[in-house]
Amino acid sequence: MAQIINGRKIANEFCDQIKERVREVRTRGIFPTIALINVGDDPASRIYVGKKEKLAESVGIASTTYRLECKASEEEVSDLILELNKNEHVHAILLQSPLPKHLEFQKLVNLISPDKDVDGLTTLNQGKLFSGNPWVIPCTPLGILHLLRYIHENLAGMHAVVLGRSLIVGRPLAQLLLNSNCTVTMLHSYSRDLPTICRTADILISAVGRQSFIGGNCVKPGATVIDVGVNRVAESAKIVGDVIFDDVYAIAGAISPVPNGVGPMTVAYLMNNTLMLSSRSFLSCSSRSVG
Ligand code: NAP
C-alpha cells in the first residue's frame, strides 16, 4: 500500500519557515503585501480567496482583497491592475481565476508587472521559465515539486508523465521536472493509449480536472502519483481529484490525496512567492537609492 503524501502537514511545516522569514524581513522594514483581485461571484473563487487571506494573516503577510462585480468591464479590471502596479506598498498581485466570461484572463494577467506577478503567469515570466532563466515560477508546479522532493531525494533520470498541458500547471511543471533532470512525457486530450504510457511512469501527475480519470490500470507498481485535479462531486460539497484513490492506493508507492495534497502547497507557495517578491523589491529600491 502506498505512502500517503500529507500535503497539509508538509505545507504547514513550510509555512512555519515562511512565517519565520517574514518576521525577519519585517525587522528590516519590509512588510510583504499581496493584492488579491476577485472578479464576480463564483463561490469556489470566494472560498479560495478566503483561504489565501487567512494563510497570509497567519504568516504575517498583509493582504487586501479587491472585489469587483461580475459585470466589471475590462477597463475597470485593467485600471485596478495598473494602479496596483504603481503602488509601492504592494509586492504581489494575484488575479483569481476563473473570470466572468466577458473578460480574457491572459490579456489581463499580462498587465501585471512581471515583478509583482506572484503566480508567474505573465507571458514574460512564462518565457523566462521556458528559456531556463526563471524569475517567478507558478505556485502549483512549485508545490508539486516540493511534494516530489519530499518523497525522492533525487529526481534525475526518473520518468515523469504529466497529464494536462495548461499554462498554470502542466507546462510549467514539465519544465521544472526537466530542470530536475527527469525524462518528461506530456499527455493531453489528443494523446493515444493513455494507460499504456502512464504505466511507464515512475512519477505520474494528473492535472486534467476529471473525476475518476486515473485508475489502477494507469499506474506502475511503486510509482509516485500526484493528483492535482479538483472536481466537485455533483450535488454535494465534496471535492475529489482525478485519481480513483482506493484503486491507486493499492498499487502506487506514494500518493498525494485530494483534498490535503497539492491544494495547501499551492497556497503556501503563494506566500513564499510574495515574500520573495517583497525582498527583491526592497533590494532593487536600495540599490537605486545607493546608485
Ligand atoms: P485546464 O486548463 O482545463 O487543462 C486541462 C488539461 O487536461 C488540458 O491540457 C487538456 O488537454 C487535458 N485533458 C482534458 N481531457 C483530457 C483527456 N480526456 N485525456 C487527456 N488529457 C485531457 O485545467 P488546469 O487549470 O490545468 O487544471 C487542471 C485540474 O487541476 C483542475 O481540476 C483544476 O481545478 C486543478 N487545479 C488544482 C490546483 C491546486 O492547487 N490544487 C491548482 C490549479 C489547478 P488539451 O490541452 O488537449 O485540451
Side-chain angles (χ1 to χ4, degrees):
M1 272 186 298
Q3 173 184 352
I4 294 179
I5 307 170
N6 187 338
R8 168 76 51 204
K9 181 169 164 273
I10 298 169
N12 284 345
E13 287 164 7
F14 185 45
C15 284
D16 286 343
Q17 295 169 22
I18 296 173
K19 193 172 177 175
E20 195 42 51
R21 281 168 30 229
V22 169
R23 211 194 318 262
E24 234 171 74
V25 299
R26 285 175 77 102
T27 61
R28 289 192 275 131
I30 307 170
F31 300 95
T33 300
I34 182 169
L36 304 163
I37 305 176
N38 186 192
V39 189
D41 46 17
D42 178 56
S45 293
R46 289 252 162 167
I47 294 172
Y48 290 138
V49 168
K51 284 184 180 174
K52 289 165 189 172
E53 290 167 335
K54 212 169 139 200
L55 187 62
E57 191 184 352
S58 80
V59 297
I61 289 178
S63 78
T64 307
T65 301
Y66 297 83
R67 295 191 202 283
L68 276 69
E69 284 181 28
C70 204
K71 59 177 195 307
S73 65
E74 183 182 310
E75 200 185 354
E76 280 174 79
V77 186
S78 331
D79 285 351
L80 173 60
I81 293 174
L82 297 177
E83 193 187 306
L84 292 168
N85 281 344
K86 280 193 264 164
N87 185 335
E88 282 177 9
H89 302 291
V90 172
H91 305 110
I93 303 171
L94 182 89
L95 181 61
Q96 181 67 43
S97 69
L99 291 177
K101 287 204 169 32
H102 65 284
L103 297 172
E104 202 188 313
F105 183 73
Q106 194 60 41
K107 188 174 175 188
L108 287 164
V109 158
N110 273 336
L111 294 175
I112 299 175
S113 158
D115 292 330
K116 297 190 178 188
D117 170 25
V118 68
D119 207 6
L121 292 178
T122 56
T123 304
L124 191 90
N125 277 327
Q126 293 263 336
K128 280 178 175 269
L129 174 62
F130 296 132
S131 62
N133 188 22
W135 182 242
V136 189
I137 300 173
C139 301
T140 301
L142 278 174
I144 295 168
L145 195 68
H146 189 125
L147 294 181
L148 289 173
R149 291 228 169 99
Y150 190 85
I151 297 294
H152 302 282
E153 215 167 281
N154 185 2
L155 299 172
M158 297 183 89
H159 182 206
V161 172
V162 179
L163 289 116
R165 56 175 167 178
S166 69
L167 280 178
I168 195 163
V169 190
R171 284 173 200 246
L173 174 63
Q175 194 60 44
L176 292 182
L177 292 165
L178 268 181
N179 294 350
S180 302
N181 297 319
C182 287
T183 302
V184 182
T185 302
M186 293 190 75
L187 301 177
H188 47 76
S189 65
Y190 290 82
S191 301
R192 295 191 188 137
D193 198 5
L194 261 80
T196 305
I197 300 171
C198 290
R199 277 198 304 274
T200 65
D202 303 309
I203 294 169
L204 181 66
I205 299 148
S206 183
V208 170
R210 286 190 180 206
Q211 185 179 345
S212 305
F213 192 71
I214 299 291
N217 64 327
C218 294
V219 177
K220 175 164 94 173
T224 297
V225 178
I226 306 286
D227 191 354
V228 190
V230 177
N231 308 298
R232 200 163 290 271
V233 178
E235 287 163 35
S236 93
K238 197 175 170 210
I239 297 288
V240 295
D242 294 347
V243 172
I244 306 171
F245 186 86
D246 292 343
D247 228 22
V248 172
Y249 176 61
I251 299 167
I255 180 170
S256 79
V258 176
N260 295 326
V262 173
M265 295 304 299
T266 296
V267 196
Y269 269 94
L270 190 70
M271 299 307 136
N272 198 51
N273 277 358
T274 301
L275 172 63
M276 176 190 77
L277 293 175
S278 67
S279 306
R280 277 185 190 163
S281 115
F282 178 77
L283 285 176
S284 76
C285 286
S286 20
S287 66
R288 269 205 304 276
S289 61
V290 170

